[in-house]
Amino acid sequence: MITLGRLAGFVFVGALIVSPASASTPCPSAVVFRPDATGSTVDAGWTGLAHDMPVNGYAFRMDVSCAAGSPPCGTCSITGLAPNAGGNNQRCLNDTSVICTAPTEVADCGAAALCRFFAGAPTATAAGGVSSCYTTEITGAVSGSVNVDTGDLSPDVPLKVSLYSGLTPDNPCPRCVGDAAQNDNVRGGTCDAGPRNGLPCDANATAEYPDFGASSFDCPPNAFSKIANFVLGTVPFSTASQSLTLSAASPTCKGYPGSRCFCDTCNSLGAEVCQSNADCGDPLGPIGPICGGKRCVGGSNAAAACVTNTECPGGGLCGVPGEPSKPSGCLDDTSTLGLDCTDTAPLDGEGECLTGPVSKVCTIASGHPQRSCSADIDCGGMLGSCQLQNRKCYLDRGLVGGSISVDGVATPPAGNTSDPTTLTALTCLSPSSASSVNSVGGFPGVVRGSYPGQAIFAEEIVVEVTPPGGTVTTAGSGPASVVETTVTTPVGGEVQIIGTFNAGAPPSGYEFLGRLVQITAKPASVASPLRISFDIDASEIPAGQDETTIEIFRNGVGPIPNCLGATQAIPNDPCITARTPLGGGDVRITALTSAASEWTMAVPEVVAICPPALEPGCRSPFVSGKAQLMLVDKNPDTKDQVQWKWLKGAATTVGEFGNPLSSDDYGLCIYNALGLAAELVVPAGGTCAGKPCWSAKPTGFQYKDKDLTPSGISQITLKAGIDGKAQIQVKGKGDNLSMPLISSIMVVQLRNATSGQCWTATYSSPFDKFDGITLKDKAD
């Protein structure tokens, strides 16, 4: 007869054993995308002069809402942005050196509606040998989706790019010089130009071109040097591969009749960028929506669709903004249909104008690839550093059916990280407000971007700026977490706390519990340290573990030592100053440290003592029937009981019991017809209720634990003797016990984990008593 019982860590479904998902592992509430330091590139416009431009990598954080409460989480919605930790990217438009928060933007920025998120710090770039500086403002709400199980990420980001004339070809953006650590919220560098020339800065990103150096929000370009704005609208970024294909509905190229182009503008008030008539609303006047159509600029009929200037009285002009569009800036070799553009080896989806035009630019090896040149001396004098370069181009040739594409990468998360993750963008870029910029870049035109990096999923994120002595906590910031973290900083400033998922292997001899907590804060000191408290929910703490056994690791190093009661001038950096039970099984561990970083919680690893299936070789009772078993499985679990008396056993010496005083763990192993049904571990040594758990006796050993940790065993007696005189008794009770599923045959063994020595007894039905709650029987 088999009845349903409890089996530690599993539930029975028919004849299967199924491991349940951990109820304490929630779906993430945020995802952080961190581009790699190098490798991000952008192709902008159709002339090819602004292709292969490197982009400074910069992270941004998105809030996430998942319909599922716990994994598998599936597809979740992106609900908005949150500030970055180091190098906070929520800044004032009128002075990006000022960090702001939307609810208090008037106080922070001095005027309403000037607090914005930015996709990155000011970025230096070069197109056609002309250097410039640009900023990328996020103009509205960020939405989209992320699949937590597959790593697919698709944020929709509304962007505006502001372009500034470069200070010099080698220094287009003000640089942050001398900052030792980027994005640490410490202004350790100095701005070398711009409105904050000579003022301190925290570097946010380093350009791939060496001359461009490090940029910083604290070093904005001069406002008077702005030359153009690009309003991109909402850009659909994605880890999926993206493509555009020309069709009969694509607008006709104005600069190369007979061809089709991907991008133009609508004949409406806003002159919105479009890919077909379907993207345009109905304009004023009798002419319907046309992608690439004319509209009145100025005059009494402004914004009306038009064909000639006569339809725009009052001094208005009938025209189309931007540079007349072409498929590319290539010359026509007349041997192929459309403008010449060829993908040369190695094939990478990027074309070259083999018949020209060509430019003379400095090689990457010269260290000055942003410069145009006429001789090697312009590139620093390195032999062969000034070289001819064919213009870059898109491969569609302006032909119906021609396409361009960009490949993204999504990787299922390992732990809390999807790596690699490559975001892509492929959309139309509207013409800028400057005709010279449109002419150089070729706008309106396609913009194609590739941003390799990684996506990091987090349970919760909190960022606050606090005064010296202030406290930042995750408690109350959202749904209750299994680890709530509190940071008190003596120096103040910005504090970020990310609660995320443990990835990688735990330290040797330990198993993770709780979360990986990533903390960013200004450095403190040994004399006046940061105070960090981790409140750990009881659901995360294994049976038998408590505030005395939980260990803390910083950056994977530890366990960090105790300095219980310390408040200042800590003797060890870092150290644990308090281990506090909070009631209900919750625990608070408090650490003191001069530097915040990554923190993990762990408990000593419980090594399995009981084999999964019965193994021969154990000693049996010397007299049949002289081993008694009682199992009581009641509700509530606090009334559960285990008693096993192995009386009149086979001969055993004291030495064969090993040394449980310090080195030999024991396990009570209970088997049913399916195999191991329960394992009750009793560790060697230790302190129970303020006294040693194990004690030596003249004929063996005794174990007593009123606290019933870790597995509910309260007493063990090991008594050596000759055949018929050796004895073992084991008692346990309470909700730490793992009660077995009862089957027609039950086997109980006590095993020494070190030597493998074991003692056993078998019980077969019909039992002396079994009523579904209590089993009592004598050994076969």
Side-chain angles (χ1 to χ4, degrees), residues 270-289:
E272 298 88 354
V273 69
C274 56
Q275 297 180 38
S276 71
N277 294 347
D279 296 331
C280 301
D282 194 18
L284 297 174
I287 301 174

Side-chain angles (χ1 to χ4, degrees), residues 353-389:
C353 302
L354 296 185
T355 57
V358 296
S359 305
K360 295 191 76 173
V361 296
C362 297
T363 62
I364 292 176
S366 72
H368 314 289
Q370 74 279 0
R371 297 180 186 175
S372 60
C373 59
S374 58
D376 291 342
I377 190 65
D378 298 328
C379 304
M382 179 188 295
L383 186 64
S385 57
C386 182
Q387 294 184 352
L388 289 174
Q389 184 181 86

Side-chain angles (χ1 to χ4, degrees), residues 70-415:
S70 59
C73 303
T75 299
C76 306
S77 299
I78 296 171
T79 59
L81 290 183
N84 288 330
N88 188 312
N89 63 329
Q90 193 171 25
R91 302 278 177 147
C92 293
L93 278 174
N94 53 344
D95 183 357
T96 56
S97 69
V98 178
I99 295 172
C100 61
T101 55
T104 58
E105 60 189 4
V106 174
D108 293 335
C109 304
L114 290 180
C115 186
R116 291 286 190 276
F117 282 102
F118 287 81
T123 299
T125 189
V130 177
S131 296
S132 58
C133 180
Y134 68 87
T135 60
T136 310
E137 172 194 346
I138 298 174
T139 58
V142 172
S143 58
S145 63
V146 56
N147 190 302
V148 179
D149 306 319
T150 64
D152 291 289
L153 177 61
S154 298
D156 297 326
V157 186
L159 295 174
K160 175 184 176 182
V161 174
S162 297
L163 189 68
Y164 299 81
S165 58
L167 299 167
T168 70
D170 295 340
N171 186 18
C173 285
R175 293 174 292 203
C176 183
V177 179
D179 188 35
Q182 295 185 4
N183 297 311
D184 64 350
N185 305 309
V186 177
R187 290 176 169 174
T190 304
C191 298
D192 72 347
R196 286 178 49 81
N197 184 28
L199 295 178
C201 55
D202 177 25
N204 300 127
T206 300
E208 287 192 45
Y209 291 173
D211 289 333
F212 289 169
S215 62
S216 171
F217 285 117
D218 300 327
C219 305
N222 285 304
F224 62 78
S225 67
K226 182 186 288 189
I227 56 176
N229 286 323
F230 292 95
V231 179
L232 278 71
T234 298
V235 178
F237 291 90
S238 179
T239 53
S241 296
Q242 301 191 59
S243 64
L244 295 175
T245 301
L246 292 172
S247 71
S250 301
T252 300
C253 300
K254 295 184 178 62
Y256 195 69
S259 294
R260 298 285 176 173
C261 285
F262 289 106
C263 307
D264 216 312
T265 56
C266 296
N267 60 337
S268 57
L269 174 64
E272 298 88 354
V273 69
C274 56
Q275 297 180 38
S276 71
N277 294 347
D279 296 331
C280 301
D282 194 18
L284 297 174
I287 301 174
I290 300 175
C291 181
K294 296 181 180 181
R295 66 189 181 104
C296 290
V297 179
S300 59
N301 206 19
C306 60
V307 176
T308 66
N309 287 339
T310 59
E311 298 171 79
C312 306
L317 296 175
C318 182
V320 177
E323 186 71 7
S325 54
K326 290 184 178 182
S328 70
C330 298
L331 301 177
D332 192 345
D333 65 1
T334 71
S335 63
T336 57
L337 188 62
L339 293 175
D340 167 46
C341 184
T342 304
D343 191 357
T344 57
L347 301 181
D348 57 3
E350 178 75 87
E352 291 185 347
C353 302
L354 296 185
T355 57
V358 296
S359 305
K360 295 191 76 173
V361 296
C362 297
T363 62
I364 292 176
S366 72
H368 314 289
Q370 74 279 0
R371 297 180 186 175
S372 60
C373 59
S374 58
D376 291 342
I377 190 65
D378 298 328
C379 304
M382 179 188 295
L383 186 64
S385 57
C386 182
Q387 294 184 352
L388 289 174
Q389 184 181 86
N390 292 90
R391 190 79 59 86
K392 300 292 185 179
C393 55
Y394 295 122
L395 292 167
D396 60 275
R397 294 177 177 266
L399 304 175
V400 171
S403 65
I404 56 178
S405 61
V406 61
D407 293 329
V409 176
T411 303

Side-chain angles (χ1 to χ4, degrees), residues 660-705:
L661 299 178
S662 61
S663 58
D664 294 350
D665 298 338
Y666 269 84
L668 186 70
C669 314
I670 304 177
Y671 295 87
N672 61 17
L674 297 175
L676 181 64
E679 179 180 47
L680 307 178
V681 174
V682 180
T687 301
C688 297
K691 298 179 180 180
C693 301
W694 286 95
S695 58
K697 301 297 179 181
T699 57
F701 300 92
Q702 188 172 53
Y703 174 87
K704 289 185 177 181
D705 179 15

Side-chain angles (χ1 to χ4, degrees), residues 442-467:
F443 308 119
V446 172
V447 60
R448 173 173 63 182
S450 177
Y451 311 91
Q454 55 274 145
I456 301 171
F457 299 95
E459 181 186 354
E460 59 184 350
I461 298 180
V462 170
V463 178
E464 291 183 19
V465 177
T466 185

